[in-house]
Amino acid sequence: MAEPQAQLADQTRSEAAGEDNLLVARALTKHFAHRGANLARRPTSVVRAVNGVDLDVPRGRTLALVGESGCGKSTTARLLARLLEPTAGQVTFDDTDITHLTRRDMRPFRRRIQMIFQDPYSSLNPRRSAGDIVATPLLVNSEHKPTRADMRRQVRELLELVGLRAEHINRFPHEFSGGQRQRIGIARALALRPSLLIADEPVSALDVSVQAQIVNLLRDLQRELGLTYVIIAHDLSLVRHIADQVAVMYLGKIVEVGSRDEVYENSLHPYTQALMSAAPIPVPPTERRRRTRIVLGGDPPSPIDPPSGCHFHPRCWKAQDICRTQDPPLSRPTSEIHPVACHFPGPPPAGRGPTSYPLALVRDS
Ligand code: SF4
């Protein structure tokens, strides 16, 4: 299952060795037993949520993992944070293989890898004050338990760092707006001075007007604290503002990965092109009317029974016989081009980039 992307791992390992990667995933795989409705609740099938994912996250940079709901992004995020055990594969953090560390051996890394969750409403305990919520990691994970005065000082500093006021320390979650609650979640994630933040859809539950404020906050914090980010997102306009690298995921696999400009300006995989065409990305008015909207037919297939060959073939307008039988490896078409998993990589219909080809509707057959 993990073989094609493991090939890329071999191919790119020497390149990656030259990079200062804080986080590296190789052939990361997670399968869940699916329990049917039988009386004994025995596993009846396997959900192939993540299949052989390779990722390199350079220190101090932002990698965005994008794709439709259910493609395996959030599972990948939890595997990277070691909140889930992988079925196979490896996660290396700061040159240490953390894949199978015991809970105790994982403790120093837990402090350095923190998560920000999607929903600022459900991720905060409504019965705890903002101060208590932000202080919890300090109490639970600090090597030396801080004094009460020291803890309140640290909490006030953290609240101010994320744009809240020190007097917010005694307020409860229901007294804050959605954006403020997400700021509390970010302050909690920063309490142990992590190196890596993994943010699962950090702004998708917020009003559009607030989203930009949180994105700007994340960017400022990255500059100030030298943080490394993995951002899980389906909103490509958000990703464009914050990502250095973009990995596109479809049905548990990375189908295209490159720098932000490579993926946005020169996407080569039909699925990426469809995602881009649906995103409200600002384009000059002269080009707006000529932008093609690629409408994919059908829903994403089930990860319980993925299609043969290229998993995207039932929805792809370029599919040919080979696509139905052979799974394309994630590889570079030429040494100058970023990796893509497609037998026929190339520019989108009309061949002049996703924001400039004539208005048309492309459907699968
Ligand atoms: Fe489409 Fe074939 Fe490429 Fe898959 S391999 S994305 S079906 S052209």
Side-chain angles (χ1 to χ4, degrees), residues 310 322-323 326-329 341-345:
C310 170
I322 188 176
C323 307
Q326 291 186 26
D327 190 8
C342 178
H343 292 302
F344 306 104

Side-chain angles (χ1 to χ4, degrees), residues 269-271 310 312-313 316-320 323 328 341-345:
H269 194 284
Y271 176 64
C310 170
F312 188 59
H313 84 253
C316 182
W317 64 93
K318 290 169 84 177
Q320 298 188 30
C323 307
C342 178
H343 292 302
F344 306 104

Side-chain angles (χ1 to χ4, degrees), residues 6 34 38 40 48 50 72 98 103 124 140 143 150 170 191 194 198 223 229-230 249 268 298 311 321 326 331 334 337:
H34 175 69
N38 59 66
R48 300 168 201 280
V50 177
I98 62 168
R103 182 186 282 243
L124 304 181
V140 173
E143 279 170 2
D150 190 31
N170 293 321
I198 299 177
R223 257 196 305 271
Y229 290 151
V230 175
M249 202 163 181
L268 299 170
H311 290 351
D321 287 347
Q326 291 186 26
S331 60
T334 70
I337 296 178

Side-chain angles (χ1 to χ4, degrees), residues 50 54 73 140 168 215 247 312 347:
V50 177
D54 294 333
K73 309 184 296 281
V140 173
H168 285 143
V215 169
F312 188 59

Side-chain angles (χ1 to χ4, degrees), residues 28 50 53-55 57 62-68 71-78 80 198-202 229-236 238-239 242-243 245-250 252-257 275:
L28 202 55
V50 177
V53 162
D54 294 333
L55 291 172
V57 189
T62 299
L63 173 96
L65 195 52
V66 304
E68 290 167 295
C71 72
K73 309 184 296 281
S74 294
T75 304
T76 303
R78 280 158 177 75
L80 295 176
I198 299 177
D200 188 359
E201 303 273 10
Y229 290 151
V230 175
I231 306 261
I232 309 299
H234 68 271
D235 179 348
L236 292 176
L238 156 77
V239 168
I242 199 166
Q245 302 274 327
V246 178
V248 182
M249 202 163 181
Y250 185 78
K253 295 187 174 199
I254 305 294
V255 295
E256 185 160 8
V257 60
L275 278 186

Side-chain angles (χ1 to χ4, degrees), residues 179 183 203 208-220:
R183 286 173 194 266
V203 299
V208 174
S209 58
V210 181
Q211 291 183 353
Q213 295 170 16
I214 298 296
V215 169
N216 289 339
L217 171 66
L218 290 171
R219 287 171 61 178
D220 292 346

